[in-house]
Amino acid sequence: QSVLTQPPSASGAPGQRVTISCSGSSSNIGSYTVDWYQQLPGTAPKLLIFANTQRPSGVPARFSGSRSGTSASLAISGLQSEDEADYYCASWQESRNGKYVFGSGTKVTVL
Amino acid sequence: RLFESGGGLVQPGGSLRLSCEGYGFTFRTSGMSWVRQIPGKGLEWVASISADSGGTYTADSVKGRFSISRDNSENTLYLQMNGLRADDTAMYYCAKLGGFAVLNLELDSWGQGTLVTVSS
């Protein structure tokens, strides 16, 4: 069972906006920044959003992230067919030996 | 820019050492990590190491069995895996951290992974 909770699936028609939630606690999202990863079918994960809201170069502006308290969200605006993938949130967690925790993942389907 | 090797089939209780070579960036100033994924399942962080090996962090699920290390002169990251179990079967990805240290940094570049299968 993942420390960070995500909905298992989300969907939308091309051009629509889809939002994925990520719920954590004060020991992870409440204390550290949140990152988001996209994993296209059969490929390695790719960094999509880091430090809650920052997009690496090359990531389209239709992807955006936010954080509030112990939760975070990823929004995809203007959904495109190539956005069909698994999306994972992640954050560091306070512990005796720091650890990086991932959400359970959300499968986005473009209708 | 990251190339993993060393995966394969190993019997329960056996050992493997995974390697990850980094190209196209300054390896000696980048923290590094290992992440694994059971086929069809989600991502699980395994271990991380700072650029100078001064800080290492290991998941509870592998602590005492796996160890992360690096050789900056060879631009190579390692994961020594001992006491392998069936539930260690997964694709193992090497990933670069977004800075020198480890904590509060993202995994900004990933390799294609190497498959480890633990079975008799």
Side-chain angles (χ1 to χ4, degrees):
Chain A
Q1 191 168 351
S2 299
V3 174
L4 304 181
T5 301
Q6 297 180 236
S9 63
S11 62
Q16 286 190 329
R17 176 184 172 93
V18 167
T19 301
I20 301 168
S21 62
C22 176
S23 178
S25 69
S26 58
S27 62
N28 41 63
I29 294 178
S31 299
Y32 295 98
T33 56
V34 178
D35 309 312
W36 290 90
Y37 299 90
Q38 177 194 58
Q39 187 174 31
L40 297 171
T43 70
K46 167 192 163 186
L47 180 65
L48 200 64
I49 297 287
F50 68 98
N52 303 325
T53 61
Q54 304 302 300
R55 277 180 291 107
S57 62
V59 172
R62 64 177 185 275
F63 293 95
S64 63
S66 64
R67 180 187 71 167
S68 178
T70 59
S71 295
S73 293
L74 172 72
I76 310 174
S77 303
L79 194 65
Q80 299 184 7
S81 58
E82 58 261 38
D83 298 334
E84 189 158 291
D86 293 320
Y87 293 83
Y88 297 90
C89 61
S91 179
W92 286 92
Q93 174 154 309
E94 291 176 343
S95 69
R96 282 182 302 170
N97 179 32
K99 57 182 178 180
Y100 195 57
V101 291
F102 286 96
S104 47
T106 298
K107 169 67 176 178
V108 169
T109 301
V110 181
L111 302 172
Chain B
R1 299 191 312 169
L2 294 167
F3 300 95
E4 302 95 338
S5 61
L9 175 64
V10 61
Q11 291 190 338
S15 297
L16 273 181
R17 188 176 80 159
L18 306 184
S19 300
C20 170
E21 290 187 77
Y23 299 91
F25 66 99
T26 308
F27 185 85
R28 67 179 184 277
T29 63
S30 298
M32 299 293 295
S33 294
W34 290 98
V35 175
R36 68 184 181 181
Q37 184 175 36
I38 297 171
K41 301 298 183 182
L43 301 172
E44 180 187 17
W45 171 78
V46 175
S48 296
I49 186 168
S50 62
D52 63 356
S53 301
T56 60
Y57 306 81
T58 308
D60 291 340
S61 59
V62 304
K63 196 170 294 183
R65 300 187 299 122
F66 292 11
S67 65
I68 188 171
S69 63
R70 61 190 296 160
D71 183 343
N72 287 346
S73 67
E74 298 290 334
N75 286 356
T76 302
L77 174 73
Y78 300 102
L79 184 68
Q80 178 66 43
M81 304 187 295
N82 300 326
L84 283 161
R85 311 187 302 222
D87 61 0
D88 294 319
T89 295
M91 181 71 79
Y92 285 74
Y93 294 102
C94 160
K96 170 184 164 297
L97 286 159
F100 186 96
V102 171
L103 295 180
N104 216 31
L105 289 175
E106 69 282 359
L107 303 172
D108 65 6
S109 184
W110 296 61
Q112 288 306 299
T114 185
L115 184 63
V116 172
T117 303
V118 184
S119 175
S120 55

